[in-house]
Amino acid sequence: MQQTLELLQKQKQILTQKQIQSLTILAMDNVELDCFLRQEYLDNPMLEINGQSPETVYESLPVLPSEDDKKWNHQMEESKDLKEYLRSQLNIGNNDEPYESLQKYLIECLDDSGYFTLSTKEVAGYFHTSEETVTNCLDELKLLEPVGVFSSDLKECLLRQLEALGSEDPLLKQMIKEHLEDVAHGNIGHISRSLKIPTSQVRKYMLMIGTLNPRPSTGFGIKKTEYIVPDIIIKKEEDWEIQLNDGWMGNYQINDYYQNMILKTKDNELRAYFREKASRATFILQNVEQRRKTLMNVTQFLLDQQLPYFEGTGPLHPMTMAEAAQALGIHPSTVSRAVKGKYIQYPKETVPMKNLFSQSVSGISGSTTRNAKEIQEMIRRRISEENKRSPYSDQKLKELLEGDGIFLSRRAVAKYRELMGIKSSFNRKES
């Protein structure tokens, strides 16, 4: 056999790094996008955040995660009541009864955040004791877990947590004492000029502050709750309204201070650095805005095509992502990435966006079509009507569906049944 070398010419599309990043942003759900933007904010001095939007929407109806994700994007764990937890740490019996009563009373005076905001003079008058006794009692209670409980305000709470972590950085403490409002609004430039430290150091401090717990009561007194934060909310008032649920992320924009520095600085290396960062920030913001437009367009298309379903007057109409892409003038992969991992909340429930698309299943002579959801409901209805002592096999369900003009294989029937979490006939049988 003779081996030869041969040159072949063929076309191949290569995605640039920017195109890959753009597609990655489109595929993120709101929680993932928030994490991504916060990391970019810490790394890029050209990005500025103005805090949360006043039109914050952060709500959710109970919903199971999609089969593809197999995860919740937000959860809270079951725990004890805070006041009960504090009482369990007291050295009952080691103090005289009036002092123990004072401790229990002070615990009951905590507000919902775990702060103690009453005046010691007021408490002393109520208990007919001295302010010094009340102060000493408070100092002891402040040693209890969680760290920060019984603080008088947010500043004291954060400073006590820093102390517990062994941090002695005076500039970080000064930032907490004097610039918490600037931290909340992302005023990095003002903090940097006031404390006379680089913006990179300010960002590190802000990241450190972000790891602290502003509410000592967080995590107490709640039951285990797992829920999805919807990416899109559809409401019906006079007309249907589509709203992206991203107001809670904050408003990101280009930092004017550093934008002006590009024009004013005479340091070529510094100018090049800020231009690179400005280009990166602009690119990200443009892609976030493009993501918003794509999500709104896809959702509007879904609402128009599936209006009876959203109104509760009809089933889902068979529709593919390719059909949506053709109608919107975009590539099917763009639709696929736009709906990936995203959830829509409408008045009835919260559903994965991808569940609103379904292939049609041909009926008799191909004259009628049903989508996968309808097929599942037909199987569910048949199983609900069966004799529990002699439940329908998948083969029997197949035959019953044929009577309704739906022709599927036995394996397809079994697949639909399993997707609904319904057991086999053997496991459904009752004696």
Side-chain angles (χ1 to χ4, degrees), residues 118-184:
L118 298 179
S119 70
T120 54
K121 183 177 181 180
E122 180 181 349
V123 175
Y126 177 81
F127 256 83
H128 305 290
T129 187
S130 66
E131 275 193 70
E132 182 181 4
T133 300
V134 176
T135 300
N136 291 339
C137 188
L138 275 174
D139 289 340
E140 287 186 22
L141 292 175
K142 287 180 180 181
L143 299 177
L144 303 179
E145 296 287 342
V147 178
V149 72
F150 284 100
S151 294
S152 59
D153 55 25
L154 177 59
K155 292 179 183 178
E156 182 186 353
C157 179
L158 298 181
L159 289 171
R160 285 177 54 200
Q161 290 178 58
L162 278 184
E163 182 181 350
L165 292 172
S167 175
E168 298 294 337
D169 191 326
L171 287 174
L172 178 54
K173 291 182 178 180
Q174 184 180 353
M175 186 167 160
I176 290 175
K177 291 177 181 177
E178 301 175 3
H179 295 286
L180 276 186
E181 187 172 345
D182 289 325
V183 170

Side-chain angles (χ1 to χ4, degrees), residues 307 375 414 417:
L307 187 58
I375 301 296
R417 174 180 55 74

